[in-house]
Amino acid sequence: MIKILFICHGNICRSTMAQFVFQDMVNKRGLKDKFYINSAATSREEIGNGPHYGTVSKLRQVGVPVLKHHAVQMTRQDYEDYDFLIGMEHFNLRNMKRIAGGDPDGKMHLLLDFSEHPRDIADPWYTGNFDETYRDVVEGCEALLSYLQENSYI
């Protein structure tokens, strides 16, 4: 089983969106039993809160199931427990490495680094643009799934 943890600053917008989108993708491809997918924050600001209403609204609009989730903070132990720790932007990656004490096994990546156009995913908390975030998340999740298939993880 491949264990993936999607990570952003607060765990209510981008990382939950990526978690739900990727889960939907693997479910629709009959790969559900091959993955454990979750999400977390690098900060403690939103701990215990559910997904942002903008994320929920966008996912419902496009038919992606919104799963039960409450924000949690990434821990050092997550580095041991997950195969891939996927950040949404460079600030997340820096904080992920701080929390984990580094990345000696090369498990940490940015979601869009798997795509043909590597870049940060803008935080809709600040931009208000959940449509753009959704497009970027789908692009990254599709690219991540292709990477896993091409490299014989699944």
Side-chain angles (χ1 to χ4, degrees):
M1 181 171 279
I2 301 166
K3 297 178 183 173
I4 299 175
L5 185 66
F6 292 103
I7 302 161
C8 70
H9 181 76
N11 191 214
I12 62 169
C13 295
R14 295 171 291 175
S15 60
T16 53
M17 185 181 286
Q19 175 189 354
F20 302 158
V21 165
F22 197 76
Q23 186 69 62
D24 188 52
M25 285 179 180
V26 301
N27 290 355
K28 287 178 176 174
R29 289 169 170 85
L31 300 170
K32 180 180 178 179
D33 295 340
K34 297 190 179 297
F35 288 93
Y36 177 78
I37 304 159
N38 208 343
S39 62
T42 58
S43 78
R44 299 193 46 78
E45 294 170 24
E46 299 288 345
I47 301 303
N49 291 335
H52 189 281
Y53 66 88
T55 293
V56 172
S57 176
K58 182 60 188 176
L59 294 179
R60 286 186 176 150
Q61 176 189 0
V62 297
V64 172
V66 175
L67 308 172
K68 184 174 174 63
H69 182 82
H70 291 91
V72 298
Q73 187 178 28
M74 178 190 160
T75 66
R76 185 177 292 262
Q77 184 60 44
D78 288 333
Y79 191 81
E80 301 303 321
D81 294 344
Y82 287 88
D83 303 304
F84 292 89
L85 293 92
I86 310 293
M88 301 296 121
E89 66 181 28
H90 285 87
F91 293 118
N92 302 149
L93 194 57
R94 180 195 68 210
N95 290 329
M96 291 159 55
K97 289 177 180 178
R98 179 185 49 77
I99 292 167
D103 183 19
D105 300 328
K107 295 180 176 187
M108 295 183 182
H109 308 273
L110 293 177
L111 182 58
L112 284 172
D113 280 355
F114 294 97
S115 78
E116 292 181 14
H117 306 286
R119 63 195 182 281
D120 287 347
I121 295 176
D123 191 343
W125 174 264
Y126 299 106
T127 68
N129 193 339
F130 286 85
D131 294 332
E132 179 183 15
T133 299
Y134 175 75
R135 285 190 299 270
D136 286 350
V137 164
V138 169
E139 178 184 337
C141 287
E142 289 283 4
L144 173 58
L145 192 54
S146 292
Y147 169 85
L148 295 172
Q149 290 171 323
E150 290 165 8
N151 290 279
S152 302
Y153 285 95
I154 48 176

